[in-house]
Amino acid sequence: MLSVFDKLLEKLMYFRISDFLEKHNILYKYQFGFRKYHSTSIALIDMIDNIYDNMDKKNTTIGVFLDLQKAFDTVDHEILLYKMYLYGVRGIVLHWFRDYLTNRQQFVKLPMCLLI
């Protein structure tokens, strides 16, 4: 559980990093999630448009769909921090992310009445 302060700080960092990535044109143009004006609906429209274009050209079209909902859980944090450094995230902000990602633990606490 994050405190109100932690949630505000997290939101602030999200906006700062997002603005930085957009300003420096770092993100791949087909990165649709978690971006302004790049919804998953637009990704779907783009995909359908590509399918129709290829059908018109008599090309074979194959789709591979992956569910990456838990993808962040598998990211190596050291590689992520190194890439952030390469893209220009430095100093206090990089140290904040390192602290945020280091020794993270998650647990579930159940009320006693549910255990009986």
Side-chain angles (χ1 to χ4, degrees):
M1 302 282 288
L2 293 177
S3 70
V4 173
F5 176 77
D6 290 334
K7 289 179 183 179
L8 288 172
L9 184 59
E10 196 174 81
K11 182 86 63 185
L12 174 69
M13 292 308 296
Y14 167 77
F15 286 124
R16 288 192 66 190
I17 290 293
S18 294
D19 289 345
F20 177 84
L21 295 172
E22 291 291 338
K23 178 182 174 184
H24 296 284
N25 201 27
I26 293 172
L27 295 176
Y28 180 56
K29 70 177 182 176
Y30 292 114
Q31 168 65 41
F32 289 100
F34 309 106
R35 290 179 72 187
K36 292 178 188 175
Y37 315 114
H38 289 81
S39 70
T40 52
S41 299
I42 294 173
L44 185 59
I45 291 168
D46 187 59
M47 181 190 70
I48 291 170
D49 189 46
N50 284 330
I51 290 170
Y52 283 138
D53 284 345
N54 280 291
M55 287 173 63
D56 290 342
K57 296 173 185 174
K58 307 291 187 215
N59 292 333
T60 302
T61 304
I62 297 173
V64 177
F65 302 92
L66 304 171
D67 181 5
L68 302 176
Q69 185 174 1
K70 299 286 183 181
F72 186 75
D73 296 339
T74 64
V75 170
D76 183 308
H77 293 159
E78 285 303 315
I79 294 172
L80 176 62
L81 291 165
Y82 179 68
K83 287 188 175 190
M84 290 174 72
Y85 177 83
L86 291 178
Y87 285 125
V89 178
R90 308 259 165 79
I92 293 171
V93 175
L94 186 63
H95 290 295
W96 183 85
F97 275 104
R98 182 175 304 283
D99 289 343
Y100 187 82
L101 295 171
T102 302
N103 297 323
R104 304 268 312 166
Q105 295 181 351
Q106 181 177 344
F107 65 92
V108 176
K109 184 176 180 181
L110 295 174
M112 267 317 247
C113 63
L114 293 177
L115 298 175
I116 298 174

